[in-house]
């Protein structure tokens, strides 16, 4: 029912195409109780402690309802699977807790007495062989920032998978330097790829999956099968730049190759996501 509805046009030069809330339209996601989708924000506080339901019952403490408009916060009579106590003294019950704190490179221990080149995001700058600006000093993972010219379909995103890849590659570069050998950049930096699980669905993100850096000059293609899969493809000038695959789609290897090869797919149009076409055989 969302077709035809206008979407606001962004004025920023950093436009993207986030997965957003649309992927679960049509799914029945039921929590402990029905409630408004309005957001309540508690500021200037941190999480003090988290309680499971049985722990909280034994403590005989009281949780609060989320405020509605200007009404005062009242005691909550509903039992929740988990409770969070904040440092401002308030306790709320909820279905689950999501930690979305972001990542800040912890470079302070290394800056004292050293003259490292530091990037705008706070990481130690490294070149394509993981060298920092100081001789014989390497960095990898969340603490570093890729200062080389990246592949058009790779970007740094501080995830454990990238940290592991960088660690392996940094070790290879150190060994090569010690032996006086040359080394090519690792293949893992050619294409951004990350696999995880979300609501027990397999999730694969490839390339510029959120149209990172593409501005408004891109198109999206979608395929969604309720309870089974969600497929989003980011296209630019007829070429696949990124993809989001949720569920057992079996498309990751084919899409990985299409993104890497930058093949012009204009002639195929929406057939790329046609479920009646075996796309894997189509391009093999």
């Amino acid at each position: 029912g969302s077709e035809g509805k206008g979407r606001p046009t962004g004025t920023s030069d950093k436009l993207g195409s986030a997965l957003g809330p649309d992927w679960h339209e049509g799914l029945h996601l039921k929590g402990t109780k029905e409630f408004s989708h309005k957001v309540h924000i508690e500021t200037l506080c941190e999480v003090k402690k988290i309680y499971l339901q049985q722990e909280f019952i034994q403590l005989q403490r009281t949780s609060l309802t989320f405020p509605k408009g200007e009404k005062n916060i009242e005691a909550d009579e509903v039992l929740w699977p988990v409770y969070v106590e904040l440092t401002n003294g308030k306790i709320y019950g909820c279905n689950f807790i999501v930690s979305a704190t972001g990542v800040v490179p912890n470079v302070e221990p290394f800056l004292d007495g050293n003259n490292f080149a530091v990037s705008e995001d706070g990481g130690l700058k490294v070149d394509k062989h993981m060298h920092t600006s100081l001789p014989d000093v390497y960095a990898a993972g969340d603490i570093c920032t890729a200062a080389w010219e990246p592949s058009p379909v790779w970007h740094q995103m501080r995830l454990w998978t990238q940290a592991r890849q960088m660690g392996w590659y940094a070790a290879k570069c150190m060994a090569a330097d010690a032996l006086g050998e040359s080394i090519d950049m690792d293949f893992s930096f050619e294409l951004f790829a990350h696999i995880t699980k979300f609501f027990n669905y397999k999730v694969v993100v490839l390339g510029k999956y959120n149209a990172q850096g593409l501005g408004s000059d891109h198109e999206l293609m979608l395929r969604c099968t309720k309870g089974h899969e969600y497929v989003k493809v980011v296209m630019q000038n007829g070429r696949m730049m990124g993809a989001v695959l949720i569920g057992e789609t079996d498309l990751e290897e084919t899409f990985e190759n299409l993104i890497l090869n930058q093949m012009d797919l204009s002639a195929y149009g929406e057939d790329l996501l046609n479920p009646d076409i075996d796309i894997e055989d189509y391009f093999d």
Side-chain angles (χ1 to χ4, degrees):
S2 61
E3 291 184 6
K5 291 184 180 179
R7 298 193 177 208
T9 302
T11 57
S12 168
D13 60 352
K14 296 182 179 179
L15 299 175
S17 300
L19 181 61
D22 294 344
W23 73 271
H24 64 66
E25 284 187 359
L27 294 179
H28 183 58
L29 301 177
K30 183 173 177 59
T32 303
K33 66 174 183 178
E34 298 297 328
F35 57 91
S36 167
H37 288 281
K38 292 181 179 178
V39 175
H40 171 65
I41 300 175
E42 291 281 347
T43 60
L44 302 177
C45 63
E46 298 177 1
V47 174
K48 181 179 179 181
K49 192 164 184 179
I50 295 173
Y51 303 95
L52 296 178
Q53 185 185 93
Q54 196 57 39
E55 291 179 286
F56 191 73
I57 293 173
Q58 292 174 353
L59 290 172
Q60 297 184 335
R61 300 184 68 178
T62 303
S63 64
L64 303 171
T65 59
F66 291 108
K68 297 179 180 178
E70 300 299 322
K71 292 183 180 180
N72 294 328
I73 300 178
E74 303 172 349
D76 194 353
E77 301 299 328
V78 177
L79 281 178
W80 295 89
V82 65
Y83 293 81
V84 57
E85 181 179 1
L86 305 176
T87 51
N88 61 10
K90 296 178 182 178
I91 300 176
Y92 293 105
C94 52
N95 286 305
F96 57 89
I97 296 171
V98 177
S99 174
T101 56
V103 178
V104 177
N106 183 21
V107 300
E108 289 302 321
F110 306 97
L111 297 182
D112 187 22
N114 295 310
N115 190 27
F116 284 106
V118 179
S119 68
E120 291 182 1
D121 67 2
L124 303 180
K125 286 185 177 181
V126 292
D127 64 15
K128 63 181 182 179
H129 291 137
M130 308 309 290
H131 291 122
T132 65
S133 58
L134 298 185
D136 301 323
V137 179
Y138 300 75
D142 295 352
I143 198 172
C144 78
T145 298
W148 66 83
E149 185 64 33
S151 156
V153 288
W154 184 89
H155 60 277
Q156 186 174 3
M157 188 173 179
R158 289 179 167 89
L159 299 165
W160 68 268
T161 46
Q162 272 196 356
R164 183 176 63 182
Q165 290 165 351
M166 285 182 168
W168 285 343
Y169 179 54
K172 289 164 64 176
C173 290
M174 285 187 275
D177 280 353
L179 296 172
E181 299 175 353
S182 62
I183 187 170
D184 293 327
M185 176 162 275
D186 196 272
F187 174 77
S188 61
F189 299 106
E190 286 295 311
L191 171 71
F192 174 83
H194 183 65
I195 301 177
T196 186
K197 284 236 175 179
F198 189 62
F199 283 105
N200 209 34
Y201 284 92
K202 179 181 178 181
V203 178
V204 179
V205 287
L206 298 170
K208 299 293 181 72
Y209 68 93
N210 194 24
Q212 292 91 336
L214 300 183
S216 59
D217 183 26
H218 67 275
E219 297 177 338
L220 300 181
M221 297 174 62
L222 298 173
R223 183 174 93 196
C224 185
T225 307
K226 182 178 178 180
H228 178 60
E229 65 175 11
Y230 174 98
V231 178
K232 180 183 82 171
V233 173
V234 180
M235 304 290 294
Q236 186 178 54
N237 300 323
R239 290 166 172 78
M240 190 179 296
M241 301 300 294
V244 176
L245 309 173
I246 301 179
E248 297 297 333
T249 67
D250 294 327
L251 292 172
E252 51 263 41
E253 186 174 346
T254 301
F255 280 10
E256 180 182 62
N257 289 329
L258 290 176
I259 294 170
L260 280 171
N261 295 338
Q262 287 295 282
M263 175 182 175
D264 188 351
L265 304 170
S266 304
Y268 302 98
E270 295 184 358
D271 280 345
L272 281 173
L273 297 186
N274 188 335
D276 296 324
I277 296 176
D278 191 339
I279 197 72
E280 186 176 357
D281 292 339
Y282 207 59
F283 289 100
D284 280 351

